[in-house]
Amino acid sequence: MKRFCNRITKVLAALVISISSLSFISCGELLNFLIPALFGQLGDFTASPGDGFVSLSWDNGYASGYLYIETKETSSNNVISSGSDWLDADQDGFLPTGCLIDELTNGVSYTFTLYLYEQRNRDSNLVTSAVARATPSADGGGTGIPITLDVGAGDYFVELPYNTSNLIISGAQGKMITYANVNSKTTVNKSNVIKASAARRYVSGLRSADTGIQEVASAVSESAVNTASPVRHFAAPDSVTLLPDSGRSADRAGDDPWNKSNPRIGQTKTMYIDSDTNLERFRQEQMKLYAIGYVPGSSTDIACLVWAKESDVGNNSNTKISIGAIDDIVLKFIKHYKFEEEVFGTTSNQLLTANGRTSMDNGDTKNWVNIVLYDIGKDGISGDCGVVGYFWAKDYYKKGVSTSSSDPISLTNEGKYFYVDIPFCNYDSSTGSYQAGSDSVSDTVLSTLFHEYQHMIDFNTKSMEHEGLNTNNCTWYNEMLSMLCEDIMGDQLGLSSDDRVATGRIKNFNAYYYYSGTAQYLDTNSWVSYGTAYAFGAWLVRNYGGVSLIHRMSVNDSVGIDSIVDAVNYVNNYTGSDVKSWNDLFEEYIQACGFRTEFAGNTLPTFNRVPAHYYEFKFNNIDDEITLYYRDSNNSSPFSSNVSTTLEGKLKGINLWSDPYKNKNTYGPVVLGSNSTVDIQPSGFVFHNVGRVTTNEDVTLRFTTTTNQYEKLYIFVQDYEPSNQQDYTTEVTQQ
């Protein structure tokens, strides 16, 4: 027999103890220190019987020390627990307040004694003890009553309560059974992770469940390493270093001919830009103005400025950008940025000062968007840095707010800035090569351009317009919005299939989803969190309002889960019993990840939905064409380009199990073998296989139980289609 235990928390520490085990797997690291000698009493020690188990609970008060549980058969007074049944404290020193003892015999009375010792030694001083008795039975306390799932009646999904062990499935002959271990906690910290060594609920007493469906060793031991792309995501460092002057010092920056009252192509401006792959070291560089883009329909009202270092412009190297590509950037931006603002909101026209705010007219580049082109990370095309582009809110600070040379905001460029990597401007994602001298910007950079602009908008709509709104721990949410921006703009930007956001993100999600929770951002392997965040957002907007839902999430006065729940209920006019909670959405989302597209059809949750209405935007409500103006190296008069005034935001359905999203030779989200264990992150889940039903009789599955009500267990029954996912071979038969 085995022992399994849940992660102990401050509120409820849950342990599962199997009687005949000779060893105990600790829920946390063993304490190597003596808890301070503040000892108390144990109160309200109760025993609740279930089917083959008893759930124990007690009140610690302010007790400190070491807990030991002893189990006896009441009639014979035989001790049947092992000599290592210590209930260890968690890593913060908090003692458990409950445990579950299973593998007991129904109809037999048991006596449970809980001891509190000063030290983790039964020879140490006994502080206090408590006694409780119970007799497990098939219907004890209601916890042994089976849950039923009638497939013949159209029931394909059920949640098995945390304290229920039996599931009866009828009408499932020929169908496949899988289950998902779910961590419904949303606060991301170590104590909320359900550890692989803890009591993950699993099928017990079923011979066919012992054979893994997928190669378990590779699925569990393989680390999450992204080999599909050289792209790395930007993470702002906490501190920076300004490198010594390399020929252009701050006290000489005034020599720049930059004139914000009369901007002209060829003027220069000294800026702070990064200079190492970790983006922690910065230098000052003289950047030259190469293009000016104007607000659509105007030849005088500036929208954006495009800058580059003169030595980085040319046609003879992968690390240089051509004038043609610069023109492409400015034209693409002024053509599409108004659509993005219509959906997501606008950028702020204020700078932050030591005492409040000031108009951006007092900054170096007024309220114009600055697109700065250079070799981000100074890595050439080596991929050591791998950042395609980034927005950093440090530039929204007025100079002088911080005088600390290590404070990022001391390196402000004062304005609306985002930065684009020149080598990636020449990148071809389909071949992984760099095309020197290309006259059009790569789809990788084009998609990133509007991804980063969303971040600039989000800084305004969440941080500037709602001062005091706590955006901590919501990186996943912000990135989700930026990826949804790429999603709805993919058609109008003409992105290749390789550069569509769904292609790479869903591939990574399918193979590695269990490494990151849905509402979580990993500092290491952040690309996994991008996959999980996009997958959830992609499902959400395809089912609950499309672009209208994105707009509401972007402009409401909350972030993260609160923003999502508000948007779903607001856009869909849900009231009363129709109101959706986060748990409602999360459960439906997991079903959409579990039910294959063809099986889900039109009735079960799925990614394969197309919102009823797409979003149409017209410049200034003009029906035909509008003129876009921009200046480049000619500068004698602005160039013009007539374009259609209509821009559309469309979303297509996603089949997780189709070839574009296949990863690691797997179709759909990977399903682990029933014996494999992985950590389950907060707001995370992992699918496991049970097998295929071969009998026309009812099938009874027995699962282990838990006292952790946040550890949910979802059961799925669907058609057996090995050609459409893993090669299922294990069969479920009635034992």
Side-chain angles (χ1 to χ4, degrees):
M1 297 184 186
K2 302 178 181 178
R3 294 177 182 273
F4 299 90
C5 64
N6 289 327
R7 181 74 175 175
I8 302 174
T9 66
K10 298 179 182 180
V11 179
L12 175 63
L15 302 173
V16 180
I17 302 175
S18 299
I19 293 305
S20 63
S21 176
L22 297 179
S23 62
F24 185 82
I25 301 174
S26 174
C27 297
E29 296 180 357
L30 295 179
L31 297 178
N32 57 7
F33 57 87
L34 181 63
I35 298 176
L38 173 63
F39 298 103
Q41 298 296 311
L42 301 173
D44 297 327
F45 184 40
T46 58
S48 301
D51 184 7
F53 65 87
V54 170
S55 177
L56 303 175
S57 64
W58 58 88
D59 181 9
N60 282 330
Y62 292 99
S64 296
Y66 297 86
L67 291 172
Y68 184 91
I69 187 72
E70 180 183 77
T71 304
K72 294 181 178 180
E73 291 186 2
T74 303
S75 59
S76 64
N77 207 32
N78 290 330
V79 177
I80 60 173
S81 61
S82 72
S84 58
D85 288 335
W86 290 97
L87 309 183
D88 289 310
D90 66 6
Q91 61 184 8
D92 296 321
F94 289 91
L95 293 174
T97 58
C99 71
L100 187 144
I101 302 180
D102 68 353
E103 300 185 6
L104 301 176
T105 302
N106 288 339
V108 174
S109 177
Y110 295 90
T111 299
F112 307 94
T113 306
L114 183 66
Y115 300 93
L116 179 65
Y117 290 95
E118 286 187 5
Q119 299 182 33
R120 200 177 188 277
N121 186 328
R122 294 204 69 183
D123 293 328
S124 68
N125 291 332
L126 175 65
V127 178
T128 187
S129 64
V131 177
R133 296 177 177 85
T135 302
S137 64
D139 58 352
T143 58
I145 299 176
I147 296 294
T148 60
L149 194 156
D150 187 351
V151 176
D155 298 330
Y156 306 111
F157 170 85
V158 70
E159 177 186 351
L160 196 65
Y162 71 98
N163 58 1
T164 301
S165 58
N166 291 331
L167 172 69
I168 298 176
I169 303 175
S170 60
Q173 185 176 18
K175 294 190 180 296
M176 198 68 198
I177 302 175
T178 56
Y179 66 93
N181 293 117
V182 181
N183 186 345
S184 63
K185 283 277 193 177
T186 56
T187 302
V188 178
N189 56 47
K190 291 182 179 179
S191 65
N192 284 340
V193 175
I194 298 177
K195 302 297 291 182
S197 59
R200 174 186 63 80
R201 298 185 70 184
Y202 65 98
V203 182
S204 62
L206 187 68
R207 185 172 57 253
S208 59
D210 293 336
T211 302
I213 298 307
Q214 185 179 349
E215 181 60 40
V216 174
S218 76
V220 176
S221 63
E222 181 178 13
S223 61
V225 178
N226 185 12
T227 59
S229 170
V231 173
R232 181 175 71 85
H233 300 102
F234 169 71
D238 294 327
S239 63
V240 294
T241 299
L242 181 61
L243 298 176
D245 175 37
S246 58
R248 188 73 190 175
S249 62
D251 60 355
R252 294 168 55 198
D255 296 338
D256 285 327
W258 168 244
N259 183 352
K260 69 178 182 180
S261 298
N262 188 25
R264 286 291 181 267
I265 299 299
Q267 292 178 351
T268 61
K269 182 179 183 299
T270 299
M271 303 177 187
Y272 296 108
I273 62 173
D274 59 78
S275 189
D276 74 320
T277 57
N278 293 321
L279 310 184
E280 295 175 339
R281 302 201 300 171
F282 278 71
R283 66 187 189 275
Q284 290 181 298
E285 288 285 2
Q286 188 181 60
M287 310 301 286
K288 183 177 178 180
L289 183 61
Y290 276 92
I292 302 174
Y294 296 93
V295 175
S298 170
S299 60
T300 58
D301 189 5
I302 294 176
C304 68
L305 308 172
V306 183
W307 305 83
K309 193 166 66 169
E310 191 167 7
S311 60
D312 286 341
V313 179
N315 296 304
N316 60 343
S317 170
N318 292 326
T319 59
K320 293 179 182 289
I321 188 168
S322 70
I323 292 295
I326 292 176
D327 288 352
D328 194 34
I329 288 174
V330 71
L331 268 172
K332 293 286 176 56
F333 183 78
I334 61 177
K335 179 179 179 180
H336 299 284
Y337 84 100
K338 281 291 186 181
F339 171 85
E340 184 170 356
E341 289 184 344
E342 190 76 10
V343 175
F344 290 88
T346 58
T347 57
S348 174
N349 291 329
Q350 294 180 313
L351 289 172
L352 296 167
T353 67
N355 300 315
R357 304 182 184 188
T358 187
S359 170
M360 274 198 173
D361 286 341
N362 298 318
D364 281 351
T365 53
K366 295 190 176 182
N367 64 344
W368 308 320
V369 172
N370 295 272
I371 303 172
V372 185
L373 309 173
Y374 63 99
D375 179 11
I376 293 178
K378 211 172 183 180
D379 64 340
I381 60 171
S382 67
D384 291 340
C385 176
V387 173
V388 180
Y390 65 90
F391 160 75
W392 193 351
K394 72 174 180 64
D395 293 316
Y396 263 85
Y397 286 84
K398 196 83 174 71
K399 292 176 181 176
V401 171
S402 175
T403 57
S404 170
S405 60
S406 63
D407 189 342
I409 67 174
S410 69
L411 304 183
T412 176
N413 286 318
E414 277 196 351
K416 302 178 183 180
Y417 283 79
F418 59 96
Y419 307 92
V420 175
D421 184 70
I422 285 179
F424 270 115
C425 289
N426 302 316
Y427 181 66
D428 184 343
S429 59
S430 64
T431 62
S433 61
Y434 295 81
Q435 309 298 321
S438 174
D439 280 336
S440 61
V441 69
S442 70
D443 284 355
T444 300
V445 162
L446 184 57
S447 190
T448 299
L449 199 66
F450 294 96
H451 176 114
E452 298 304 327
Y453 194 52
Q454 190 286 136
H455 288 319
M456 187 181 290
I457 292 171
D458 184 85
F459 179 71
N460 177 44
T461 58
K462 300 304 182 183
S463 297
M464 298 290 277
E465 291 187 359
H466 301 291
E467 193 169 1
L469 181 62
N470 185 359
T471 60
N472 293 336
N473 301 317
C474 277
T475 300
W476 68 273
Y477 163 81
N478 196 344
E479 295 298 344
M480 180 190 76
L481 291 178
S482 280
M483 287 183 285
L484 291 176
C485 174
E486 296 178 80
D487 205 352
I488 63 173
M489 296 180 71
D491 282 346
Q492 62 180 264
L493 294 177
L495 299 178
S496 67
S497 60
D498 288 318
D499 284 290
R500 293 298 178 102
V501 64
T503 303
R505 303 304 183 188
I506 294 296
K507 276 185 178 179
N508 289 336
F509 170 78
N510 276 343
Y512 300 107
Y513 67 90
Y514 50 83
Y515 280 101
S516 176
T518 302
Q520 180 181 24
Y521 184 83
L522 299 173
D523 293 327
T524 303
N525 290 327
S526 61
W527 60 271
V528 181
S529 294
Y530 277 71
T532 55
Y534 170 71
F536 176 73
W539 167 81
L540 188 73
V541 300
R542 282 161 174 78
N543 288 269
Y544 284 104
V547 178
S548 296
L549 185 74
I550 297 173
H551 175 73
R552 178 65 184 181
M553 288 190 292
S554 300
V555 302
N556 62 16
D557 60 357
S558 53
V559 294
I561 289 173
D562 292 340
S563 174
I564 291 168
V565 171
D566 164 81
V568 167
N569 290 302
Y570 178 89
V571 170
N572 295 280
N573 297 313
Y574 290 149
T575 59
S577 60
D578 292 331
V579 169
K580 295 286 186 179
S581 68
W582 168 259
N583 286 336
D584 294 332
L585 296 172
F586 190 42
E587 179 180 294
E588 290 177 22
Y589 167 60
I590 297 174
Q591 290 182 59
C593 295
F595 287 124
R596 291 186 301 276
T597 298
E598 290 77 10
F599 182 77
N602 295 319
T603 57
L604 296 172
T606 178
F607 279 70
N608 199 36
R609 296 266 192 267
V610 178
H613 303 286
Y614 64 88
Y615 190 84
E616 182 178 281
F617 167 72
K618 293 182 181 296
F619 290 111
N620 302 324
N621 295 317
I622 300 172
D623 290 330
D624 191 10
E625 289 187 339
I626 195 166
T627 303
L628 303 181
Y629 294 94
Y630 71 99
R631 292 180 185 268
D632 69 1
S633 56
N634 184 341
N635 199 36
S636 59
S637 62
F639 292 91
S640 64
S641 175
N642 293 330
V643 298
S644 170
T645 60
T646 301
L647 296 176
E648 298 174 342
K650 294 183 178 180
L651 291 164
K652 301 175 181 178
I654 295 175
N655 182 350
L656 296 181
W657 288 265
S658 62
D659 281 328
Y661 313 116
K662 183 179 180 181
N663 203 345
K664 291 176 29 176
N665 295 317
T666 297
Y667 288 102
V670 64
V671 179
L672 302 184
S674 60
N675 282 346
S676 61
T677 58
V678 296
D679 290 354
I680 309 176
Q681 300 297 320
S683 71
F685 54 95
V686 60
F687 290 107
H688 293 273
N689 176 64
V690 176
R692 182 162 61 101
V693 179
T694 59
T695 176
N696 59 4
E697 303 294 331
D698 290 353
V699 173
T700 300
L701 300 179
R702 177 178 171 84
F703 285 84
T704 57
T705 58
T706 181
T707 57
N708 180 2
Q709 298 184 42
Y710 293 99
E711 182 187 352
K712 295 182 179 293
L713 187 70
Y714 296 160
I715 317 298
F716 298 79
V717 179
Q718 59 187 310
D719 289 345
Y720 172 66
E721 296 181 16
S723 62
N724 219 19
Q725 199 177 349
Q726 286 85 3
D727 183 15
Y728 292 123
T729 55
T730 299
E731 298 178 341
V732 176
T733 55
Q734 183 65 53
Q735 300 298 302

